[in-house]
Amino acid sequence: MAHAVEPLVACDFETSGHKTEYALQPWRYARGDAWPTAFTYMWDDGTVHQRGGLMPTAETLRAFFTHVRDTGATIVAWNAVFEAAWCIAMGFRDEVRCTRWLDPMLLWRHLEIEPEYDMDRSKKKSYGLKLAVAEQYPQHAGYDEQVDFHDPSPAARKVLLRYNRLDVLFTLRLAQRYIALLQQSPRQWRAAQIEARAIPFVAEANVDGMPVDLLVARHLEATLTNTAAHAQATLAEHGLTETIVRSPTKLATLLYDQWGLPVLKENVGKKTGNVSRSTDKEVLHELAFLDPRIAELRKYREALTNRTKFATGPLESRTYNGDGRTYPQAIVFGTYSGRMTYSSKQGKNKDERPIGFALHQEKRGKAFRDIIVAPPGYTLVEFDASGQEFRWMAIASNDATMMQLCLPGEDPHSFMGARIAHREYREFQTAYKSGESAAKDGRQLGKVANLSLQYRTSAKKLRVVARVDYNIPLELPESERIRSTYLQSYRGVPVYWAQQIQLTKHRGWVETLAGRRVQVVGNWDGSMGWSMGSTAINYRIQGTGADQKYLALACLHDTMVKFGVRFAWDLHDGIYFWIPDAVLKPAIAKMRHILHHLPYRQAWGLTPPVPLPWDCKIGKAWGSLREYHGD
DNA sequence: CTCCCTTGCGCC
DNA sequence: AAAGGGCGCAAGGGAG
């Protein structure tokens, strides 16, 4: 893992397009709808050297990558995924893949005190270069004033070039500063470097996008329209309209004032204190036992939501982009725990541009996921970190039973199902495998318990999850008994909770097993105390999962380059790739081997006491993936 | 009208 | 007193 990051070469693009918004959409470069207006790169070997200039060409980039190759430099760029994406769009895919990248914006995040529980956490801090300059070099704040990215006049271009050069200079200086700071904490620095290896792959995914199957998406849209129309027709005579079902306020009036149903739950506004009568799906699930119309109403609302989000949305983005593709943009370190997030739009409010769709929220059904298909000549391959959070909790808590259940041939959900049903585990496991229906239901309950109770969920909440999400008619006494069973089965888990909270109170920060950190600052005795405790407990597990995925990508790098494998997208415990059909089998075999032998000890200083296996699925459309075991 | 906040809900 | 966490997006509703 060790690799010198020096020397550094900083770079920055300015861009424009036939519409100003295209400046942020490098995939339009190929059609001539977007282009770079300036590109500067800079290094400091005692003297500051500066190259590049206005209207860069392929020759400019060739000289840049030649310099990088000859000096063995690491490229630094603010929001480096964007710079790398432009390089790829301009034809330098191989060069981007085979160079090291580092993003001072991400390094800044690693150094930040976040989350802060005294502040309003709904207001997320921005990590723009201008803010970093204002913080570190206040005398230079406001250097971006009077810049026009799109005015081609010589006077405006002169201002633009000066701005571009300052951007690069500040990027270089901030990178040097943040690297020095992070290196004081070697494990954090190492985690940040491993994460940075994902930059070229994420850039590729963002600039390549993914094909949307037009017919499948239209069919989905039509199906959901029919579902909604049918429900609407059924309920029209009872006063339900689309406007009402889409409005929580209007729906509450209908349900509680006109239909006379009981109010089962109220919402209290966190800021305003306003009280409203809830119409959420938990409430609807319970009301459905009292009134047969409610199940249809819930189906109606779901069909409308799903149509907009998962059919109309992707189709709109396909039309907007004009090339049959959708471009949800991956954001490295998008969550404070390190996981990636996705954005489906650029701009705000009336300037919103629908470039992508809500990839991370895509429903699990085949009909939904099949709208995304492999590009010609490629197969979609998913590697999924099996039982990821259960395994990391087993390791973090050192619970002997959980660790035992991570061994080959074991089934944690059957184990918990058996405990709940007062049955013997092996007998239960055999019954489940032979298709016994009681064992099937029991395992489902065990699964709900294993998945829900790992993070201090209450019996009350467990009851709701079981009822609403799994349609299991659980009542509170039984839910309490299951929770007790869980805690008695995995004695190490509540001990881990308490220890993790104590340690975090003492240190003021939590770390993942890889060494990624987050500060936990606030009043432990105040109203945020519970939430701070949850961060102490959850961050270590969830963040380790994120680090595991970055480690996987870093270690797969050489194989991906060799076989021409492309990173497609991330779904937290799953990584998706486009693999050329011609090398599908050997590439998967090699990738699987690497994933099963990730160098946790060298990278993190950890020797996992249990196996950390990955499952593999392959197919031509997202909804149609099949388990793949090799041959 | 725009902008911001709230409710509700999809995934992990 | 009781309380899983993390996100982003759709849509309504209200302020200005």
Side-chain angles (χ1 to χ4, degrees):
Chain A
M1 282 299 133
H3 183 273
V5 294
E6 302 285 348
L8 304 178
V9 181
C11 73
D12 183 45
F13 276 103
E14 311 305 332
T15 57
S16 187
H18 280 137
K19 289 186 180 173
T20 57
E21 68 207 50
Y22 294 171
L24 300 177
Q25 299 166 8
W27 54 89
R28 294 190 190 265
Y29 174 81
R31 284 170 283 165
D33 290 335
W35 51 81
T37 52
F39 178 75
T40 296
Y41 58 104
M42 195 180 286
W43 67 95
D44 181 355
D45 53 15
T47 322
V48 174
H49 302 263
Q50 180 178 276
R51 299 282 188 277
L54 293 170
M55 303 312 285
T57 63
E59 279 314 306
T60 317
L61 286 193
R62 199 176 319 283
F64 167 62
F65 280 109
T66 301
H67 172 82
V68 172
R69 189 194 60 205
D70 291 349
T71 56
T74 299
I75 303 170
V76 296
W78 201 269
N79 190 18
V81 166
F82 182 74
E83 262 58 43
W86 268 97
C87 292
I88 292 166
M90 293 179 72
F92 293 84
R93 183 181 295 268
D94 293 342
E95 289 81 355
V96 167
R97 289 180 145 218
C98 295
T99 44
R100 300 271 177 159
W101 292 72
L102 213 48
D103 185 346
M105 183 181 80
L106 298 179
L107 303 186
W108 187 17
R109 294 209 57 190
H110 280 274
L111 291 163
E112 269 293 305
I113 297 170
E114 189 207 9
E116 271 205 54
Y117 288 89
D118 308 299
M119 291 165 36
D120 179 358
R121 289 188 63 194
S122 68
K123 296 258 192 291
K124 282 223 282 189
K125 176 163 177 176
S126 162
Y127 289 88
L129 175 57
K130 309 302 167 281
L131 292 164
V133 170
E135 191 180 294
Q136 296 298 333
Y137 311 106
Q139 69 275 25
H140 294 294
Y143 71 95
D144 56 322
E145 282 164 20
Q146 293 172 352
V147 172
D148 187 324
F149 295 100
H150 310 294
D151 181 349
S153 72
R157 288 297 195 228
K158 200 178 155 193
V159 176
L160 181 73
L161 183 60
R162 178 180 171 275
Y163 164 82
N164 178 236
R165 289 173 169 171
L166 283 171
D167 264 1
V168 183
L169 181 61
F170 289 130
T171 297
L172 182 61
R173 294 295 181 233
L174 287 163
Q176 291 167 329
R177 180 183 179 85
Y178 294 150
I179 289 169
L181 286 170
L182 260 181
Q183 283 177 336
Q184 293 171 17
S185 168
R187 299 190 74 221
Q188 264 187 295
W189 171 231
R190 201 157 45 179
Q193 285 178 281
I194 294 170
E195 174 192 87
R197 297 295 305 276
I199 289 168
F201 293 135
V202 172
E204 249 184 320
N206 285 358
V207 75
D208 289 344
M210 47 196 87
V212 176
D213 189 312
L214 184 62
L215 295 182
V216 172
R218 280 189 180 155
H219 182 255
L220 176 63
E221 192 175 39
T223 305
L224 293 167
T225 298
N226 283 343
T227 306
H230 184 263
Q232 206 277 327
T234 312
L235 296 168
E237 59 173 308
H238 303 283
L240 191 71
T241 63
E242 185 172 325
T243 312
I244 291 173
V245 80
R246 284 187 188 278
S247 161
T249 313
K250 293 190 176 86
L251 185 58
T253 304
L254 182 77
L255 293 186
Y256 305 120
D257 297 334
Q258 290 174 247
W259 292 8
L261 290 163
V263 177
L264 302 182
K265 192 165 81 171
E266 288 184 326
N267 298 314
V268 183
K270 282 190 183 67
K271 290 179 182 166
T272 58
N274 290 345
V275 178
S276 61
R277 297 169 294 182
S278 176
T279 60
D280 72 11
K281 73 175 180 184
E282 178 199 344
V283 168
L284 296 189
H285 182 269
E286 300 304 334
L287 287 178
F289 294 111
L290 307 177
D291 187 326
R293 292 172 293 188
I294 298 295
E296 196 67 11
L297 189 155
R298 186 178 159 191
K299 222 192 313 179
Y300 184 19
R301 187 167 68 184
E302 281 175 5
L304 291 173
T305 303
N306 290 342
R307 186 182 61 186
T308 311
K309 216 170 192 173
F310 304 119
T312 312
L315 282 168
E316 263 178 12
S317 71
R318 190 183 184 280
T319 303
Y320 173 77
N321 293 311
D323 58 359
R325 291 181 178 234
T326 184
Y327 294 85
Q329 298 291 290
I331 300 159
V332 177
F333 199 169
T335 75
Y336 81 83
S337 60
R339 303 213 296 195
M340 286 188 206
T341 56
Y342 276 85
S343 171
S344 67
K345 288 190 164 49
Q346 287 177 339
K348 281 204 173 103
N349 302 319
K350 73 181 175 67
D351 290 329
E352 250 176 20
R353 280 91 60 179
I355 53 168
F357 72 107
L359 175 69
H360 265 184
Q361 301 157 16
E362 182 69 12
K363 275 186 75 73
R364 289 183 62 100
K366 174 175 159 58
F368 288 89
R369 295 197 166 185
D370 266 349
I371 66 169
I372 300 300
V373 294
Y378 287 85
T379 295
L380 179 61
V381 176
E382 176 194 1
F383 284 104
D384 167 281
S386 174
Q388 190 187 55
E389 294 201 8
F390 185 88
R391 286 171 191 271
W392 287 121
M393 179 59 97
I395 293 167
S397 68
N398 201 31
D399 180 88
T401 306
M402 285 184 94
M403 291 207 286
Q404 181 68 34
L405 289 169
C406 292
L407 297 180
E410 304 294 347
D411 178 8
H413 301 333
S414 283
F415 169 82
M416 186 50 61
R419 293 290 295 246
I420 292 167
H422 300 297
R423 286 172 66 172
E424 202 274 320
Y425 171 37
R426 297 298 171 197
E427 173 274 319
F428 185 98
Q429 203 177 9
T430 310
Y432 172 71
K433 280 181 188 159
S434 68
E436 183 201 295
S437 98
K440 200 176 161 210
D441 292 348
R443 185 182 181 279
Q444 181 75 353
L445 203 52
K447 182 178 174 181
V448 177
N450 274 336
L451 294 180
S452 296
L453 294 170
Q454 185 154 299
Y455 305 110
R456 301 199 298 179
T457 306
S458 66
K460 201 172 123 213
K461 174 77 173 168
L462 176 67
R463 172 183 176 274
V464 171
V465 170
R467 292 173 75 87
V468 179
D469 294 344
Y470 294 86
N471 204 23
I472 300 171
L474 197 63
E475 289 301 353
L476 198 54
E478 174 70 353
S479 179
E480 282 165 347
R481 193 183 66 78
I482 291 172
R483 188 165 184 278
S484 305
T485 304
Y486 179 91
L487 295 177
Q488 281 162 20
S489 303
Y490 309 133
R491 298 290 181 106
V493 170
V495 174
Y496 164 79
W497 293 345
Q499 282 175 347
Q500 198 59 22
I501 288 171
Q502 276 315 112
L503 188 65
T504 306
K505 277 184 181 173
H506 176 69
R507 287 174 162 174
W509 48 268
V510 206
E511 66 177 354
T512 66
L513 295 169
R516 181 191 294 267
R517 285 187 193 176
V518 69
Q519 305 287 328
V520 180
V521 179
N523 177 11
W524 285 88
D525 299 320
S527 62
M528 295 310 291
W530 176 269
S531 176
M532 291 164 69
S534 292
T535 295
I537 291 163
N538 299 1
Y539 175 84
R540 189 163 171 84
I541 306 301
Q542 200 179 83
T544 299
D547 285 319
Q548 182 184 22
K549 191 187 53 201
Y550 291 123
L551 180 63
L553 283 173
C555 294
L556 290 169
H557 176 275
D558 293 355
T559 301
M560 291 171 67
V561 170
K562 179 182 166 193
F563 287 107
V565 175
R566 297 187 185 179
F567 170 66
W569 69 83
D570 145 283
L571 211 54
H572 303 320
D573 63 346
I575 324 175
Y576 293 75
F577 300 92
W578 309 118
I579 300 188
D581 293 335
V583 297
L584 186 62
K585 285 184 178 182
I588 290 177
K590 181 71 179 161
M591 290 170 78
R592 191 205 298 274
H593 183 265
I594 289 169
L595 290 171
H596 284 163
H597 298 87
L598 289 177
Y600 297 101
R601 190 174 59 76
Q602 294 92 314
W604 303 353
L606 169 87
T607 304
V610 298
L612 295 162
W614 296 73
D615 298 328
C616 180
K617 294 195 186 81
I618 69 171
K620 286 291 179 183
W622 187 9
S624 307
L625 301 183
R626 294 280 171 268
E627 294 279 353
Y628 179 79
H629 301 286
D631 47 17

